[in-house]
Amino acid sequence: MRIGIADYKISQAPNNLITVGLGSCIGTLIYDERSGIGGLSHIMLPDSRPFEKRSTVNAAKFANLALPKMVDEMKRQIRFPHFKAKIVGGANMFNFDNNTQNVGARNIMAVEETLKQLRIPIIAKHVGGSNGQTMVADLETFQVMVRIVHQETVYL
Amino acid sequence: MKYTDLQIDGLREMINIGGGNAATSISKMVNEKIDMKVPEVAILSYQELYQKVMADDDEVYGVISKIVGEYQGAILFVVTDKAVNQLADLILKGTQVSWDVKLSAVSELSNIIANSFLNAIGKLLDVQLISSLPQIKNDFFGALISSAYLAFDQYDEQVMVIRNEFTYAEKKLDASLFLIPEKGVLDSLIKSLGI
């Protein structure tokens, strides 16, 4: 099951959840081992608040909205959930010496902060750096395979 | 993001002039006729971009140069492995060289393309635009393009895709030049064009 940019999907073992080409974006896998249910989100930006004046806001695009919304939906499917999370992405792809902190780093902070508020522990992460990453989550084992161009595959 | 057809046409004409200038520069450098297709200027969602232009998991080389001057943004030159070979052959005329040398030739070519493109647009708008030294990256197309737009504060899920494609001896070169303006720059460009 493929998750596009600014989207999330929830599924169940034995399916895979895949999101490709994460640069400064972040892929967050949240899962409950007992039920075999997992959700994968691909956020673009840390915070929706600067965009609140817009008529439509896509919650799946922002760390602060996407993760609580996905978790709410998952809670409706699981009786006593014990959520864990694995996160991938948040690269600084280009070394531009912009004054402001890069989007990747801000995304990492926002995802970590939001998961903390949701009281979901981060079991493993592969974040930062300057390379794009593709993330494949196996809902049978909850292992996450991270592909990086011209580098060895990383397993989380 | 809303622009009239007239404004998009004006923008396309401007990119046409920039791209044409870039094609002429490459032609001179390689001593062969390089043509440019009519540039694509369209508002696309990322999904559409990955369907129409290139898949998000395609592994490509991206040469990115930051624009320095009146307007901020970047020029991203995206080439496939095949196009690296095609372009290197054009530049080096079949001399056998290592892959790294080919990449540095493509990077240099990209620098010339970016600057001749910006030069033409700058003249048109009566501003000085140059590009910084390029960085070359081998990565997923999706990671390169989305991060480039985000780095210049283009936060929408729809982006104005501004793209030039080059051909050689009627064969398509798998090489695309993307103009990634910083947020607000498009409006200024359109205003400068007086449309």
Side-chain angles (χ1 to χ4, degrees), chain A residues 3-21:
Chain A
I3 292 99
I5 191 166
D7 195 8
Y8 66 78
K9 278 183 185 144
I10 297 163
S11 189
Q12 200 162 7
N15 290 339
N16 280 352
L17 293 173
I18 305 167
T19 196
V20 307

Side-chain angles (χ1 to χ4, degrees), chain A residues 27-44:
Chain A
T28 307
L29 171 73
I30 297 178
Y31 61 97
D32 172 67
E33 278 164 307
R34 231 172 6 179
S35 62
I37 290 175
L40 181 60
S41 119
H42 181 145
I43 58 107
M44 286 170 77

Side-chain angles (χ1 to χ4, degrees), chain A residues 83-147:
Chain A
F83 292 127
K84 292 173 180 169
K86 294 184 179 181
I87 65 175
V88 173
N92 183 17
M93 296 286 292
F94 314 111
N95 215 355
F96 298 135
D97 41 353
N98 290 354
N99 294 328
T100 50
Q101 204 184 15
N102 72 74
V103 183
R106 284 191 283 134
N107 277 338
I108 297 170
M109 282 196 327
V111 166
E112 289 186 344
E113 180 57 34
T114 307
L115 287 171
K116 197 174 154 197
Q117 283 168 11
L118 292 166
R119 292 166 199 242
I120 298 175
I122 298 171
I123 298 301
K125 60 181 174 182
H126 198 262
V127 293
S130 60
N131 295 303
Q133 308 186 66
T134 278
M135 186 179 181
V136 181
D138 179 347
L139 296 184
E140 199 98 63
T141 59
F142 299 102
Q143 190 177 56
V144 171
M145 182 174 84
V146 183
R147 287 218 320 112

Side-chain angles (χ1 to χ4, degrees), chain B residues 121-133:
Chain B
I121 294 183
K123 265 190 199 147
L124 194 71
L125 302 171
D126 204 20
V127 290
Q128 203 189 6
L129 298 174
I130 49 167
S131 72
S132 67
L133 277 181

Side-chain angles (χ1 to χ4, degrees), chain B residues 12-147:
Chain B
R12 186 176 293 121
E13 188 47 36
M14 186 180 78
I15 305 305
N16 206 9
I17 292 167
N21 208 46
T24 308
S25 300
I26 317 176
S27 297
K28 276 188 193 151
M29 184 177 164
V30 302
N31 217 6
E32 305 270 2
K33 192 166 173 6
I34 304 289
D35 288 310
M36 191 205 56
K37 296 215 300 197
V38 176
E40 179 172 7
V41 177
I43 298 168
L44 300 177
S45 68
Y46 280 102
Q47 258 73 5
E48 289 169 322
L49 173 66
Y50 298 147
Q51 271 164 21
K52 286 184 184 166
V53 179
M54 201 173 260
D56 46 2
D57 55 354
D58 277 359
E59 293 174 19
V60 295
Y61 285 89
V63 191
I64 193 157
S65 321
K66 199 173 167 182
I67 302 169
V68 187
E70 189 99 355
Y71 298 113
Q72 303 289 311
I75 302 255
L76 176 65
F77 189 55
V78 175
V79 285
T80 59
D81 282 18
K82 192 180 149 209
V84 169
N85 279 317
Q86 286 175 317
L87 291 171
D89 278 350
L90 279 174
I91 303 166
L92 304 161
K93 304 289 178 210
T95 316
Q96 292 298 312
V97 292
S98 69
W99 186 247
D100 282 352
V101 172
K102 286 185 183 184
L103 288 180
S104 95
V106 169
S107 184
E108 186 48 40
L109 181 75
S110 167
N111 194 21
I112 293 166
I113 294 174
N115 277 303
S116 49
F117 181 88
L118 291 176
N119 202 355
I121 294 183
K123 265 190 199 147
L124 194 71
L125 302 171
D126 204 20
V127 290
Q128 203 189 6
L129 298 174
I130 49 167
S131 72
S132 67
L133 277 181
Q135 306 171 33
I136 187 161
K137 289 193 75 86
N138 187 199
D139 217 309
F140 302 109
F141 176 67
L144 288 169
I145 196 95
S146 62
S147 307

